[in-house]
Each structure stands twice: as structure tokens, then as C-alpha cells.
Amino acid sequence: MSEPAITPELVAKHNLTPEEYQKVLEILGRVPSYTELGIFSVMWSEHCSYKNTRPVLKTFPTKGSNILVGAGEENAGIIDVGDGIAIAFKIESHNHPSAVEPFQGAATGVGGIIRDIFTMGARPVAAMNSLRFGELSNPVVRRLFSGVVNGIAHYGNCFGIPTVGGEVFFDKSYEGNPLVNAFALGVLRHDQITRGAAKGVGNPVFYLGPATGRDGLAGAAFASQDLTEESAEQQRGAVQVGDPFMEKLVCEACLELLATGVVAGMQDMGAAGLTCSTCETAARAGTGIEIELDRVPQRAPNMSSYEIMLSESQERMLVVVHKGQEEAVKRIFDKWDLPWSEIGVVTDTGRMVVRHGGRVVVDVPAKKLTDEAPVYHREMREAAYMADVRAFRLDGLADTTDPLADLKGLLADHSVASKNWVYSQYDHMVRDGSIVCPGSDAAVIRIKADSLPVLPSGHPAEGQPVPEKYVAMTVDCNGTYVYLDPYEGGKAAVAEACRNLACSGAAPLGATDNLNFGNPHNPEIFWQLRESVRGIAEACRAFQAPVTGGNCSLYNQRGALGSIDPTPTVGVVGLVEQVEHITTQWFKDAGDVVILLGDVVDATDPLLGLGGSAQLRVKHGRKTGLPPRVDLAAAQTLHSTLLGLIREGVVKSAHDCSEGGLAVCLAESSFSQLVAKNTPRLLGATIDLSAAQCARLEALLFGETQNRVVITVAPADAGRVLKQSAAMGVPATRLGVVGGMELVLKVPLGEFRADLAMLHDGWWNSIARAME
């Protein structure tokens, strides 16, 4: 098949700058082949190389005594959880594909993150997601939303992994570019960690999985450019097509294969497909790799070397096998009825060599592709809109006179309302390890014996009991906060995630992040990115939650619709010491005392917690004002105090006070427990805020002052809890008593009573009604 001539126009079409192309010429000492040009294009894309973000990412804290595999080392980070057991976890985006083909884009996003887990040798045991869309009044947004949720449900349910938590937000900024961030967590023993390195000169290289097609062609490059109507139409072929049943077979085959000890290295064919898996494994090991494309299974006739190397067809793995063990490998592949082919060999040249049709079509130094991609220090400039944000004051905005109407409106807002329409489509109980399912502050799963991968015959741990572990996880980000103050918004994302873990009885172990931003060439966008990373890094240090890896997704903007709100999604994983410490957000028993840990209102904030709040957006139609500040030292003290109280056994419920403020938090605590399908347990409270010192009623009820948690305790424990909190330096206020079928709010303006069934109806059904 004839290849096109390498022209400046063709180079530009591959998103390589003239300077980058000059570097390619210097590396090769010649003009690249068409396939080599494509390889440099994808490997030097932002998606694969982080060429615009690498200097910023280096500011994250990545070290810790419990880190077994750190950020940037492999496909996923791994953290020790004790007794020789570890967890692997990571979050990644599939934004552009989901904007073009929502079902397959989201489905293959789930498939890709699952492969990142089992390629490390871990058994995937839990999944979560973080989703962002435009407003549901737009029929296009409803189509995207439905397609994405169906795609996530399809892949996760068919594969057999519980989707145990997540978040969904709606904002006009995401209208042209929805965000689909997928998280997965797996479990393994320390000695089962597998590296993605092509070790051992002379070792054979196997291709495992379905045949390569033209789907997903150059998807990594597609994800590293602005999304336009024209590019979306042209790049429908860059969206992969997933088969979750095939992935399940591949997963089980790989875990069984690893137990035999015949694997020298393994890597999934994710972004950039065969290209990435070959050059990265060689670069990590300091070896070379040579493959023959005629041996690669192909499901389309007359595929070019360019198409085979850049295809992102799903459910494929590259496995390096110890020489002499080929027959054992083939037996396992055949047992699972999986396509496979021996396609190459590890060499000592340090080069990635690809042959096709009897000739060499690629001959590139592997490390030059992976380790020497261009790195840019982009110009930064504070966003011009920040002057108006800082100047905003509440003067001229009428205070609420009907707080119950405001509360009802907030609870029915799609970003605040229950996401049951989403998570009811997910299987969150498969594998029987889910303890706290969607609907509370964080998900909690149980690690048990069958969570771990199979052991090799004769392993010392074979037949030994496995100590159960309880792992909590959450994903969080308030994009509005980050838009209005990237530094504080970044801090707030980590603080809220860690607060959700503390409310569930867990202490944080580590974090993973998905940095979703617009075009980094825009100095204001890059300023948002740099400042939010600064906030995330500072908060991760404060909470001793090192970053174990993640993903950067840039160029999230679409023509006249502009850029998304900056959305650095943070996933944090924690450990619950004992099963008795697992805590949920809903009220437990009538007569329990309701206590607020943290300030009722931050009086030093001129906006009293209403900057960037849901109340300001829903009631007043404004998205402005500096968001509430996060005092990290105070947050850390709050979390340690809360965990101490939980471990003492005195906390019966705990709920993070975030979007919608105190009133929304109290309402959710009154009706968020589900006792049967579509059947909530309604248990209200009488709350007395009549003595609170606050100049604005809506700030008292709906302000989003940070570092606050609503807990309930037995009456006999209330005095001790208030005293211990004060001794720890945590403000604590007795708010009222649990009981009844109403939420009663006593405020300086008077007393307001809300029927829980009425409030719950709007909160529970809001999204479903919008999707009818």
C-alpha cells in the first residue's frame, strides 16, 4: 500500500509543530515513514506525553511509606493496606469520545481503566465515575447523559464489577464537552505486583485479545486537540467499540497466567494501542522490542501498518513471556478461548522495530518516544474575569423570606438532587463486597478472600485465611469553586473528598486525580491549571494522601461554546480500621442529638459562604463571588477529631456539609436511607438556630462554609462529644434532636416546618422527571 509523502501539511495534520517535527528528524536522522509520523504524533500528544503539564505535575506529593508503586511508574498506583495486601487504583478520562459517541465512549472508558488495574496484577473489585454535563433542559444534553450512563452501566454490569459511587454535576459550561472520568480499584498481594516492562532479551512477545480493527484510530491524538463540530464528525472512527464479556475473559486469563510465573512483563493496549504498549514496555526495561505486523490478528482486510499500530481496538494486551514457557502460555489462552499470537521478541537494541510485509516500517529509539517528548512551560495569566469575581458582594441581593421554598428548589436542582436515576442502572452489589453503596458520603467495600487474584501452586499464603479489609473511596470536585478561585477550589476538592472519607470512618491513604481543562495554549486556562494543582498538592500534603497517578485531559472546549469550567476531579481512597467504624450519613434513631462540628458560619468571609454556592446559582442566577476558603489545618483537626469520636463508638451518623449548605445537609440526613426500592426511611429533626449570629438567613441555612460535618449521637454522649470537640479546638454546636416526619427549622425569622415526603419527592425524582 503506497504511503503519502511527508509534507508540512501532513505534519500539521498530525498536530506536530514544525519544531517538534525538526526534533523527530534529529532523532531519526532521516525523514520518518508515514507510520513513524503517526507514532510520534500519538506518543507526543498531551494524552500520552503530558508535554504541557509535566512540569506542573511534578509539584504533587508522590512519596509515602505505604506507596508500593508510585505516580508515573506504571499504569496505576499501588498502596499497602497491611497484612501483605495492597490496592491498585486510578482515574482516567474519556471525554472527547463520549462527546462524539456517548455510549461507546463511556463504555470503553470503563474498560480502559479496568485494564489499567488488572495489568498491574490486581483483581478489579470496584468502580466509580465522575460525570459533567450541560443543563438537562437541552435535548442534546439529555441524549449525551443517557448514552453515557447506559454505556457505563453496560460495561461495568457485564464485566461484573460493582459501580459503588461517583458524582454528577450539570452546568452550561459542559454543554459542548461533557466530562466522563472513570475510576477503578483492584486488590492484590505485594508479591503479585506486575510491571509493564519488556524484560529479558530473547523473550517472546504475545498479543492477546480480539483482532485489531480500524476503530479507535489515533484516539490519543484526537483527545489532545480542541473538539469542534468538524473534528467530531471526522473522528467518529477514533471512538473505540467495547466488548465487556471479552474483557472479562482477558482479565481472568491474565490473572491465571500471572499465577504461573511465566510472565516477564505485561501492558494493556490502551491509548495509542500497539504503539504505546510496545515502546513503553521497552523503555521501562531499557531494552528493545521487535514485532511483525503480519502476525497481528486483523479483522479488516488490507490494513496498513499505520492503522495497525495506531488502532485502539479494545480488550487487547501485550504479554512478554519467559523464553521456553510459550506452550504453557498458549494452553491458558486456549483454555479461555481467547485469540492470541506470538508477534515479536525482546531485543537489546533499545529500539522499537516494526516489520510489515517483509520490510521495516518503523525503527525508532524507544526511550526517545516515551522519555524525551517535548516539554513546554506555558505562559500563565490570571483570568480577566477574576476582577469581577473578587469585587462581588451580596449588596442588592434580597435575603430569603421563604427558606422552605428555597430548600425545596435546591433539593430539586439537578446537581444537588439524588443521582438514583444514574446509580440505579449500575450493579453495585456484584461480587458481594459492597458495604456502603451509592447514596452516602463515600462508598465502602470489603476486601475478602475471593477479592484477591489466584495464587501460584505452593505459594506460602495458599490456604491461609485472608484478613478482611474495609476500603472507602470517593471522587469529588466543585468545578464552580475552581472556576472562581482555582487555588481554593483545588484545596476544596481534596478537603471534601477527605471529609467524605472521615464521615464514613476512614482515614485517607492516597489520591488520584483527573485534571480536566481547556486549551493549555490559553494563558488564562493554564493559570487555572497551575493554581488548582497548587491547591491540590497543598491539600494532599496536609492530609497525608500522596498522589499515586491520574490523568490530564486538556482541550476540553468546543467552538463558540468555549471552555469547560476547570474541573480537577480528585479520587481519594481510605482505610476503615474496623467494621464497627463504618458510618453512614442518615439519621439513625429518634431522640439522638444533632451536633454540627465546625463553624455555623465563617464570619470572616464577606460573602458568608455564599460565593459560588448552589443557593447563589439556583435562587439568584449568579455564578460569581470568591468561594469559601479552606483552612487546611482546621480541616485536618476536624477530620482527626471526627475519626476519634467514630472509633470511640459514639457517632451514629455523619454527613459532610457541602453543596446547598446546612439545610440541604440536614434534609439529606433525614431521608437519604433507602430501605427498599424507591422506599426511603423518613426520620426528621427539630433544629434550633434561633440564637445563631448571622446577618443573612440564607447564609445561615444555605451558605457553604467549609470544614463542617453534621453528626448525631445518643443523648447520653452529647455532653462528652461537645466537650471533647472543644478540647481538640473544633467548634461544636448542639443543633437539635432527631425525630418526627418533618424537618423543623427554628431561625431568628421564625419557625419553618417542611414535610419530609414533599422534600424527598423533589430530591429523589428531579432527574428522572427531566429525562422523561
Side-chain angles (χ1 to χ4, degrees):
M1 183 180 294
S2 62
E3 294 187 342
I6 308 300
T7 64
E9 293 75 21
L10 188 63
V11 171
K13 190 176 180 181
H14 281 75
N15 293 316
L16 291 170
T17 67
E19 294 76 18
E20 289 170 347
Y21 181 64
Q22 184 59 40
K23 188 172 181 179
V24 171
L25 295 176
E26 293 170 2
I27 289 172
L28 296 179
R30 56 177 171 79
V31 173
S33 68
Y34 180 51
T35 304
E36 287 171 334
L37 181 68
I39 286 173
F40 275 101
S41 170
V42 295
M43 291 305 299
W44 285 5
S45 69
E46 175 63 31
H47 191 81
C48 291
S49 74
Y50 302 119
K51 60 186 177 184
N52 294 297
T53 52
R54 195 178 298 181
V56 178
L57 298 178
K58 288 181 178 179
T59 64
F60 278 139
T62 58
K63 305 298 182 183
S65 58
N66 60 344
I67 302 291
L68 301 179
V69 177
E73 293 181 36
E74 293 285 349
N75 294 281
I78 298 182
I79 287 184
D80 174 33
V81 294
D83 297 304
I85 297 172
I87 53 174
F89 61 93
K90 188 183 181 184
I91 190 169
E92 275 204 344
S93 64
H94 233 219
N95 300 338
H96 280 28
S98 299
V100 175
E101 289 287 351
F103 180 90
Q104 288 295 351
T108 53
V110 175
I113 199 66
I114 290 173
R115 285 196 303 281
D116 279 340
I117 299 305
F118 71 73
T119 194
M120 299 298 301
R123 176 173 292 284
V125 295
M128 296 191 297
N129 52 74
S130 173
L131 311 177
R132 300 290 192 284
F133 298 91
E135 296 171 349
L136 288 180
S137 56
N138 185 330
V140 174
V141 171
R142 293 198 297 273
R143 177 184 63 83
L144 291 171
F145 181 40
S146 178
V148 164
V149 172
N150 287 336
I152 292 171
H154 166 73
Y155 209 99
N157 294 355
C158 293
F159 180 86
I161 186 171
T163 302
V164 293
E167 60 170 1
V168 189
F169 280 86
F170 302 90
D171 186 275
K172 202 170 184 63
S173 76
Y174 305 107
E175 189 168 295
N177 203 131
L179 302 185
V180 177
N181 296 174
F183 170 101
L185 180 142
V187 184
L188 73 169
R189 295 173 177 84
H190 292 191
D191 58 4
Q192 291 178 312
I193 296 173
T194 303
R195 298 285 183 168
K199 296 179 180 177
V201 174
N203 281 340
V205 176
F206 280 80
Y207 171 114
L208 173 65
T212 296
R214 292 188 172 98
D215 54 316
L217 194 59
F222 170 47
S224 303
Q225 56 183 297
D226 287 355
L227 185 63
T228 65
E229 298 302 325
E230 181 183 6
S231 70
E233 188 58 39
Q234 290 175 347
Q235 293 292 340
R236 291 195 187 276
V239 179
Q240 308 92 330
V241 177
D243 181 348
F245 298 108
M246 176 64 76
E247 177 131 323
K248 179 64 173 176
L249 296 177
V250 171
C251 175
E252 296 301 332
C254 286
L255 294 180
E256 182 176 340
L257 189 66
L258 291 169
T260 65
V262 303
V263 175
M266 187 165 68
Q267 171 91 336
D268 76 301
M269 297 187 205
L274 193 53
T275 289
C276 191
S277 58
T278 49
C279 68
E280 283 190 353
T281 53
R284 287 194 189 111
T287 59
I289 193 166
E290 186 169 320
I291 62 172
E292 174 58 68
L293 296 188
D294 289 331
R295 299 181 186 174
V296 172
Q298 299 162 45
R299 68 169 183 263
N302 302 317
M303 288 186 69
S304 68
S305 55
Y306 182 100
E307 292 171 329
I308 298 170
M309 289 301 294
L310 301 186
S311 167
E312 293 184 10
S313 294
Q314 295 290 283
E315 292 88 40
R316 302 177 302 158
M317 302 290 288
L318 191 81
V319 184
V320 181
V321 176
H322 291 300
K323 190 172 178 60
Q325 299 294 329
E326 293 87 343
E327 292 307 312
V329 171
K330 294 173 185 177
R331 280 197 300 271
I332 292 175
F333 291 164
D334 289 341
K335 169 190 171 181
W336 290 98
D337 196 23
L338 285 169
W340 60 267
S341 178
E342 186 176 340
I343 65 169
V345 65
V346 178
T347 68
D348 60 1
T349 64
R351 304 183 74 84
M352 179 176 74
V353 178
V354 180
R355 300 179 184 276
H356 192 202
R359 64 187 181 93
V360 174
V361 293
V362 174
D363 187 352
V364 179
K367 276 189 174 291
K368 297 287 184 181
L369 273 174
T370 60
D371 299 347
E372 297 187 29
V375 175
Y376 297 105
H377 297 266
R378 294 295 178 195
E379 180 187 352
M380 293 175 285
R381 181 176 65 248
E382 181 179 283
Y385 64 78
M386 286 300 299
D388 290 336
V389 169
R390 289 196 179 93
F392 175 76
R393 291 295 180 267
L394 299 172
D395 304 338
L397 286 184
D399 195 2
T400 183
T401 57
D402 190 349
L404 290 188
D406 287 0
L407 177 57
K408 184 178 178 181
L410 278 172
L411 289 169
D413 177 71
H414 296 147
S415 288
V416 178
S418 168
K419 306 307 183 297
N420 71 88
W421 183 88
V422 176
Y423 65 72
S424 63
Q425 299 182 53
Y426 305 152
D427 187 337
H428 43 264
M429 294 300 293
V430 64
R431 296 194 59 80
D432 194 32
S434 306
I435 295 181
V436 180
C437 296
S440 197
D441 283 317
V444 181
I445 64 165
R446 173 171 58 114
I447 296 175
K448 47 195 174 64
D450 68 357
S451 301
L452 292 157
V454 64
L455 284 169
S457 179
H459 190 280
E462 190 176 20
Q464 296 298 312
V466 175
E468 290 193 343
K469 304 286 182 180
Y470 303 93
V471 175
M473 62 199 82
T474 184
V475 287
D476 286 287
C477 180
N478 187 318
T480 297
Y481 283 4
V482 184
Y483 171 75
L484 297 172
D485 189 331
Y487 169 67
E488 286 294 335
K491 285 165 56 180
V494 178
E496 182 177 355
C498 292
R499 197 160 60 244
N500 283 332
L501 293 184
C503 287
S504 304
L509 293 173
T512 179
D513 62 83
N514 205 137
L515 305 179
N516 305 277
F517 289 83
N519 192 320
H521 296 269
N522 181 332
E524 294 188 352
I525 299 292
F526 202 77
W527 172 79
Q528 292 175 338
L529 171 61
R530 196 277 307 269
E531 285 297 287
S532 65
V533 166
R534 184 166 70 93
I536 291 170
E538 190 174 315
C540 284
R541 289 188 185 94
F543 297 116
Q544 298 180 27
V547 176
T548 63
N551 174 233
C552 289
S553 175
L554 307 186
Y555 304 94
N556 289 292
Q557 54 192 60
R558 192 163 187 166
L561 294 172
S563 174
I564 63 163
D565 281 354
T567 310
T569 304
V570 176
V572 183
V573 174
L575 192 66
V576 183
E577 288 184 348
Q578 298 177 27
V579 66
E580 295 82 8
H581 300 162
I582 296 172
T583 309
T584 50
Q585 70 184 36
W586 38 83
F587 295 150
K588 300 302 185 294
D589 298 299
D592 287 344
V593 176
V594 183
I595 294 174
L596 175 68
L597 299 181
D599 291 318
V600 177
V601 175
D602 180 3
T604 65
D605 179 359
L607 301 182
L608 302 174
L610 289 171
S613 67
Q615 171 73 357
L616 196 63
R617 172 177 54 82
V618 175
K619 174 70 180 296
H620 301 287
R622 307 289 294 273
K623 187 167 80 172
T624 188
L626 289 174
R629 298 294 194 262
V630 178
D631 182 329
L632 291 175
Q636 194 175 23
T637 302
L638 169 68
H639 298 182
S640 60
T641 300
L642 175 58
L643 281 173
L645 293 170
I646 288 173
R647 289 165 182 169
E648 287 180 28
V650 298
V651 175
K652 301 178 79 170
S653 73
H655 189 16
D656 162 40
C657 191
S658 55
E659 287 85 8
L662 180 58
V664 166
C665 177
L666 291 165
E668 290 175 340
S669 300
S670 299
F671 53 53
S672 55
Q673 182 182 13
L674 198 65
V675 294
K677 185 176 181 181
N678 295 325
T679 307
R681 176 174 181 254
L682 304 180
L683 181 60
T686 298
I687 304 299
D688 189 352
L689 295 166
S690 58
Q693 300 296 312
C694 184
R696 196 175 181 98
L697 179 57
E698 67 176 353
L700 176 64
L701 294 177
F702 309 119
E704 296 175 8
T705 293
Q706 296 291 289
N707 299 340
R708 298 187 300 169
V709 173
V710 170
I711 65 171
T712 56
V713 300
D717 295 321
R720 177 159 65 100
V721 168
L722 291 168
K723 185 176 180 180
Q724 284 185 218
S725 300
M728 292 294 293
V730 175
T733 305
R734 180 174 179 144
L735 297 181
V737 180
V738 174
M741 297 294 287
E742 293 180 312
L743 179 61
V744 181
L745 300 173
K746 298 179 180 180
V747 296
L749 193 65
E751 180 178 299
F752 297 87
R753 293 177 173 269
D755 177 69
L756 290 182
M758 178 270 295
L759 291 180
H760 178 270
D761 177 69
W763 177 79
W764 185 258
N765 295 308
S766 178
I767 291 177
R769 287 170 180 153
M771 295 300 292
E772 288 176 351

